[in-house]
């Protein structure tokens, strides 16, 4: 990308690895980090003092930073991720990638939100994927008793299933089935069936475009629908998949208004959203994780046989009709500005905007 003849610095791709306590996150990092492909990696670990990096990997240590034998720099953070990243990226060393390992008790979404939206670091790094490691042996206990684990699973782009070598095959199948219900958008992989080059590829070359197209296509073909109930602190959480085909036109103004309103008024009940949509002459991938709405990604071509835009939602305590009616806002279009008028919104625009907000129950929400 160039601007005024100047080449802008390329953002560093950043992967987050999360998973509940004892799921095997650190083991996976230890497996890959000493390979030459990860030589120029910045590894940031939450609660560094409570985990271990294999001693034979350590070259030298300075305060909260250690340099590994392969040149990878590892440092810790305990709350201020922005400062940790900003301070470390000011070093003269050039990093090819960043891997952030969260605490086992962490909700990863605020970390994603920090990477995507913080003005200081979002100019330097680019969020790539969220990998969640799931313990197949303790899955039911972790999920049913810890809301953090539920969020780690529903937010994931890739789910790596660990400890399947000591889990019964029937139990493994049940775990995979439930994981696919909880997160339609994620790729669920058995870590013990993957070869090392496949695990390394997950951290290096994750392709959200291909995965999203595949998952949306499968979801719509199979007409996936479910209602999954979980009890956390005596509160019933309803998780539901909602698939929407959109026949009407989608405008740039409509997409911008819809995404902003969805984030403002529905994000508390939105676990995941991914879609492939046609916006005027462009094909875009839209992607959201709870309150984090990513910048739409342009695709080279339309990937489906039919011509309808497609969006798949995973929601919590949200009725189908309350969400489906909002997609009507996607065809919102402002009138062309009249040079005589000083206001960018005409009376008709304002009327259309109020009507659009009613699709989100905006006035009701703001009055609460």
């Amino acid at each position: 990308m160039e601007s005024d003849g100047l080449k802008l610095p390329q953002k560093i791709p950043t992967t987050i690895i999360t998973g509940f306590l004892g799921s095997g996150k650190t083991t996976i990092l230890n497996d890959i980090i000493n390979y030459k492909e990860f030589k120029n990696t910045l590894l940031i670990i939450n609660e560094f003092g409570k985990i271990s990096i294999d001693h034979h990997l350590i070259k030298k240590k300075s305060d909260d930073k250690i340099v590994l034998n392969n040149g990878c720099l590892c440092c810790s953070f305990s709350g201020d991720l922005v400062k940790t990243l900003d301070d470390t990226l000011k070093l003269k060393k050039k990093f090819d990638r960043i891997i952030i390992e969260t605490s086992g008790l962490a909700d990863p979404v605020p970390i994603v939100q920090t990477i995507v939206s913080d003005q200081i670091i979002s100019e330097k790094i680019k969020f790539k994927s969220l990998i969640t490691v799931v313990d197949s042996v303790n899955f039911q206990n972790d999920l049913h008793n810890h809301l953090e684990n539920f969020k780690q699973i529903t937010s994931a782009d890739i789910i790596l299933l660990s400890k399947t070598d000591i889990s019964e095959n029937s139990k493994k199948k049940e775990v995979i089935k439930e994981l696919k219900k909880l997160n339609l958008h994620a790729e669920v992989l058995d870590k013990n069936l993957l070869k090392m080059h496949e695990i390394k590829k997950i951290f290096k070359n994750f392709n959200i475009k291909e995965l999203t197209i595949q998952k949306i296509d499968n979801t719509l073909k199979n007409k996936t629908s479910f209602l999954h109930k979980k009890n956390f602190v005596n509160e019933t959480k309803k998780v539901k998949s909602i698939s929407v085909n959109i026949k009407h036109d989608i405008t740039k103004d409509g997409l911008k208004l819809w995404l902003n309103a969805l984030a403002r008024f529905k994000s508390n009940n939105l676990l995941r959203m991914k879609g492939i949509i046609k916006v005027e002459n462009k094909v875009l991938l839209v992607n959201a994780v709870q309150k984090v709405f990513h910048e739409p990604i342009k695709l080279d071509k339309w990937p489906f046989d039919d011509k309808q835009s497609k969006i798949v939602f995973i929601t919590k305590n949200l009725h189908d009709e309350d969400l489906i009616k909002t997609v009507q806002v996607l065809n919102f279009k402002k009138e062309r500005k009249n040079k005589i008028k000083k206001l960018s919104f005409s009376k008709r625009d304002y009327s259309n905007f109020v009507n659009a907000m009613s699709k989100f129950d905006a006035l009701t929400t703001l009055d609460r």
Side-chain angles (χ1 to χ4, degrees):
M1 184 184 294
E2 295 186 2
S3 177
D4 298 327
L6 297 175
K7 189 174 182 180
L8 298 177
Q10 191 171 3
K11 294 183 180 182
I12 306 171
T14 302
T15 300
I16 297 172
I17 179 169
T18 189
F20 201 65
L21 297 169
S23 60
K25 303 183 297 297
T26 307
T27 301
I28 291 173
L29 288 178
N30 282 335
D31 286 343
I32 67 169
I33 205 65
N34 208 33
Y35 284 88
K36 62 180 181 180
E37 296 98 318
F38 294 89
K39 179 179 180 180
N40 296 317
T41 296
L42 171 59
L43 177 61
I44 297 180
I45 301 177
N46 196 194
E47 295 184 354
F48 180 73
K50 297 183 180 180
I51 69 166
S52 63
I53 294 292
D54 284 353
H55 67 279
H56 62 273
L57 296 180
I58 298 176
K59 185 176 180 181
K60 63 179 179 178
K61 181 173 181 178
S62 173
D63 296 328
D64 63 345
K65 296 178 176 63
I66 59 175
V67 180
L68 306 184
N69 278 335
N70 67 344
C72 167
L73 179 65
C74 178
C75 61
S76 66
F77 79 98
S78 57
D80 197 341
L81 177 60
V82 172
K83 186 176 187 306
T84 300
L85 279 167
D86 190 42
D87 288 348
T88 309
L89 292 175
K90 285 178 181 176
L91 299 176
K92 293 183 179 180
K93 182 176 176 63
K94 182 182 181 297
F95 298 106
D96 294 331
R97 69 184 54 80
I98 299 171
I99 299 176
I100 300 174
E101 180 187 359
T102 74
S103 158
L105 293 173
D107 176 357
V109 175
I111 298 176
V112 177
Q113 190 169 23
T114 297
I115 294 171
V116 171
S117 60
D118 185 86
Q119 291 184 346
I120 295 175
I121 62 173
S122 62
E123 295 180 357
K124 301 176 182 179
I125 69 178
K126 181 178 179 61
F127 173 69
K128 189 175 181 183
S129 64
L130 175 62
I131 300 170
T132 297
V133 183
V134 172
D135 180 341
S136 62
V137 175
N138 298 303
F139 168 72
Q140 294 294 344
N141 180 65
D142 292 345
L143 178 66
H144 286 268
N145 294 298
H146 301 282
L147 181 58
E148 298 90 352
N149 188 230
F150 174 79
K151 291 182 176 181
Q152 291 164 358
I153 291 169
T154 55
S155 304
D157 295 301
I158 295 173
I159 296 174
L160 284 179
L161 199 57
S162 66
K163 304 182 185 178
T164 54
D165 54 332
I166 56 173
S167 176
E168 295 180 1
N169 194 49
S170 59
K171 184 175 182 179
K172 170 187 164 182
K173 289 181 179 179
E174 289 177 8
V175 171
I176 292 175
K177 184 178 180 180
E178 190 155 3
L179 287 171
K180 288 183 176 180
K181 283 185 177 181
L182 284 168
N183 190 338
L184 292 171
H185 299 298
E187 185 80 6
V188 180
L189 302 169
D190 183 344
K191 185 251 181 184
N192 289 291
L193 295 181
L194 295 176
K195 295 178 179 172
M196 187 51 63
H197 76 272
E198 293 173 310
I199 296 175
K200 289 189 290 185
K201 185 177 179 180
I202 289 171
F203 285 86
K204 287 180 54 188
N205 303 315
F206 173 75
N207 191 326
I208 192 172
K209 297 180 184 180
E210 291 182 4
L211 181 61
T212 300
I213 293 168
Q214 171 198 335
K215 291 295 179 182
I216 290 178
D217 199 25
N218 289 341
T219 299
L220 295 172
K221 283 181 180 177
N222 298 327
K223 297 182 179 179
T224 305
S225 180
F226 65 89
L227 182 62
H228 189 83
K229 295 183 179 179
K230 284 281 170 283
N231 189 286
F232 298 103
V233 196
N234 299 320
E235 182 181 359
T236 300
K237 303 289 184 181
K238 293 182 179 180
V239 179
K240 195 173 187 181
S241 163
I242 303 172
S243 303
V244 181
N245 281 308
I246 302 170
K247 298 179 181 179
H248 61 70
D249 292 337
I250 299 175
T251 65
K252 292 179 182 178
D253 291 334
L255 176 61
K256 184 176 181 179
L257 181 60
W258 183 74
L259 287 174
N260 286 332
L262 197 66
R264 174 66 178 85
F265 300 109
K266 300 297 182 185
S267 60
N268 286 337
N269 302 98
L270 188 64
L271 296 174
R272 291 304 303 265
M273 180 274 291
K274 283 188 182 179
I276 308 290
I277 60 175
K278 288 184 177 180
V279 182
E280 297 172 10
N281 294 322
K282 295 181 180 179
V283 179
L284 299 178
L285 183 157
V286 290
N287 178 25
V289 181
Q290 296 179 39
K291 294 180 180 295
V292 182
F293 282 69
H294 298 280
E295 192 73 21
I297 299 172
K298 186 178 178 181
L299 303 182
D300 295 331
K301 61 181 180 179
W302 183 250
F304 304 116
D305 294 333
D306 62 15
K307 302 300 181 183
Q308 298 180 42
S309 294
K310 307 172 191 303
I311 305 177
V312 178
F313 304 87
I314 301 177
T315 65
K316 178 186 69 179
N317 295 332
L318 190 62
H319 296 296
D320 294 29
E321 58 272 17
D322 292 335
L323 186 58
I324 293 173
K325 69 181 181 181
T326 70
V327 301
Q328 298 174 31
V329 176
L330 286 165
N331 64 5
F332 177 87
K333 189 173 184 178
K334 291 202 301 184
E335 290 184 335
R336 293 181 178 274
K337 291 183 182 179
N338 189 321
K339 292 183 179 179
I340 300 175
K341 295 179 182 178
K342 294 183 179 180
L343 296 175
S344 60
F345 265 87
S346 66
K347 289 183 179 180
R348 182 179 176 184
D349 284 337
Y350 181 75
S351 176
N352 289 341
F353 176 78
V354 172
N355 180 56
M357 289 302 95
S358 71
K359 306 297 183 185
F360 287 91
D361 304 316
L363 295 178
T364 305
T365 303
L366 291 172
D367 285 342
R368 288 175 185 168

